[in-house]
């Protein structure tokens, strides 16, 4: 079992829909990261959070430390949101600051 | 402020050759991480370096792979005697990571796509 599990693996939505991607982890962490990998391969850090909730534009990330679970929400989705969304954790006792990644969620938003 | 730079962006090598991948961190960042993404797989940690020090190389294959981050110049990931299984995207990330912080945002470079023929 991977230390970081994401669901779903693939997600197809219509433009305007509200999207949720889930991430569960099984190790102690200091922070959880959400990343976006564009179709061209580049990786952008969207959020780093250790508690509560963060919002940036149409993106919202939440984390529940007790349940070891995080969600990434996209409101009013748009075709340009199509990308792979990756959950990663860091700051564990044995892992230090390096990132441990989930397998990613391929999101496709159709017009 | 330039982001993390990697070069080359694409690298083609024949089996048995050496591959050198370079990473220049963001200005002011002294921590560099290398990650590998094999085809159709997720990202995996390889090595974590600070200037002139390897902090964690637990993700590096034991043979043929080495990394350095000299006092001056970029970080280098070196793969000797490449094999087809080394074909992957190699990403570098940097962070400022203060001494008090256990973790910090990592900023990724565009990656080097290595193809071994």
């Amino acid at each position: 079992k991977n230390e970081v599990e994401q669901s779903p693996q693939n997600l197809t939505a219509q433009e305007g829909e509200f999207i949720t991607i889930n991430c569960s982890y099984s190790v102690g962490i200091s922070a959880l990261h959400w990343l976006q990998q564009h179709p061209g391969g580049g990786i952008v850090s969207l959020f780093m959070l250790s508690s509560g909730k963060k919002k940036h534009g149409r993106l919202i990330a939440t984390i529940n430390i007790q349940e070891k679970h995080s969600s990434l929400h996209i409101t009013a989705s748009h075709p340009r949101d199509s990308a792979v969304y990756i959950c990663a954790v860091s700051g564990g006792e044995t892992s230090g600051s390096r990132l441990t990644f989930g397998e990613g969620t391929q999101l496709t938003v159709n017009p | 402020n330039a982001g993390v730079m990697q070069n080359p962006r694409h690298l083609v090598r024949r089996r048995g050759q050496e591959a050198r991948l370079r990473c220049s961190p963001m200005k002011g960042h002294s921590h560099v991480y290398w990650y590998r993404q094999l085809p159709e797989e997720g990202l995996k940690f390889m090595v974590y370096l600070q200037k002139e020090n390897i902090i964690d190389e637990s993700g590096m294959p034991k043979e043929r792979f080495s990394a350095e981050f000299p006092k001056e110049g970029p970080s280098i990931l070196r793969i000797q005697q490449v094999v087809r299984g080394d074909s992957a995207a190699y990403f570098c990330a940097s962070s400022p990571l203060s001494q008090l912080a256990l973790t910090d945002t990592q900023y990724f470079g565009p990656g080097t796509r290595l193809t071994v023929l």
Side-chain angles (χ1 to χ4, degrees):
Chain A
K1 185 172 167 40
N2 291 336
E3 293 181 346
V4 182
E5 298 274 356
Q6 284 185 239
S7 64
Q9 281 189 309
N10 294 283
L11 181 56
T12 301
Q14 287 300 122
E15 184 173 355
E17 285 185 3
F18 181 84
I19 287 162
T20 296
I21 299 171
N22 295 300
C23 176
S24 297
Y25 54 94
S26 57
V27 295
I29 67 170
S30 293
L32 184 140
H33 307 247
W34 282 102
L35 310 168
Q36 180 191 54
Q37 187 167 25
H38 298 292
I43 298 172
V44 175
S45 179
L46 299 175
F47 295 104
M48 184 185 73
L49 64 165
S50 54
S51 64
K53 175 179 173 178
K54 286 190 177 180
K55 184 176 189 292
H56 184 243
R58 294 181 295 107
L59 302 177
I60 303 166
T62 65
I63 187 169
N64 184 319
I65 297 295
Q66 286 73 31
E67 294 186 4
K68 295 186 175 178
H69 180 269
S70 175
S71 293
L72 176 68
H73 306 285
I74 305 175
T75 61
S77 59
H78 190 276
R80 65 174 174 266
D81 297 326
S82 298
V84 176
Y85 292 84
I86 303 169
C87 172
V89 298
S90 62
E93 284 184 6
T94 57
S95 61
S97 60
R98 71 175 189 253
L99 296 179
T100 301
F101 301 89
E103 292 297 310
T105 296
Q106 173 69 64
L107 171 65
T108 303
V109 181
N110 294 316
Chain B
N1 187 11
V4 178
M5 300 177 70
Q6 289 188 249
N7 67 81
R9 296 288 301 275
H10 299 274
L11 183 61
V12 179
R13 285 286 178 266
R14 296 191 181 280
R15 281 178 296 171
Q17 292 184 319
E18 179 180 284
R20 281 188 182 231
L21 288 61
R22 294 175 186 78
C23 169
S24 296
M26 287 181 71
K27 188 176 180 181
H29 288 192
S30 58
H31 301 256
V32 166
Y33 304 80
W34 285 93
Y35 299 99
R36 178 167 69 173
Q37 188 172 39
L38 293 167
E40 307 302 322
E41 292 190 19
L43 287 152
K44 296 285 192 293
F45 167 77
M46 298 184 75
V47 62
Y48 164 35
L49 309 105
Q50 295 177 24
K51 286 280 188 183
E52 299 184 280
N53 279 307
I54 297 174
I55 307 302
D56 180 357
E57 57 181 349
S58 59
M60 287 275 271
K62 294 289 184 278
E63 297 178 349
R64 301 187 297 108
F65 285 72
S66 62
E68 63 176 4
F69 189 15
K71 187 176 179 181
E72 301 291 337
S75 175
I76 306 283
L77 179 67
R78 182 183 177 207
I79 311 173
Q80 295 178 286
Q81 299 177 312
V82 295
V83 300
R84 289 220 173 104
D86 297 332
S87 295
Y90 292 82
F91 291 94
C92 163
S94 74
S95 81
L97 194 61
S98 73
Q99 287 183 333
L100 295 178
L102 286 176
T103 189
D104 207 336
T105 298
Q106 294 186 18
Y107 297 85
F108 283 77
T112 294
R113 272 106 187 129
L114 173 65
T115 301
V116 180
L117 302 177

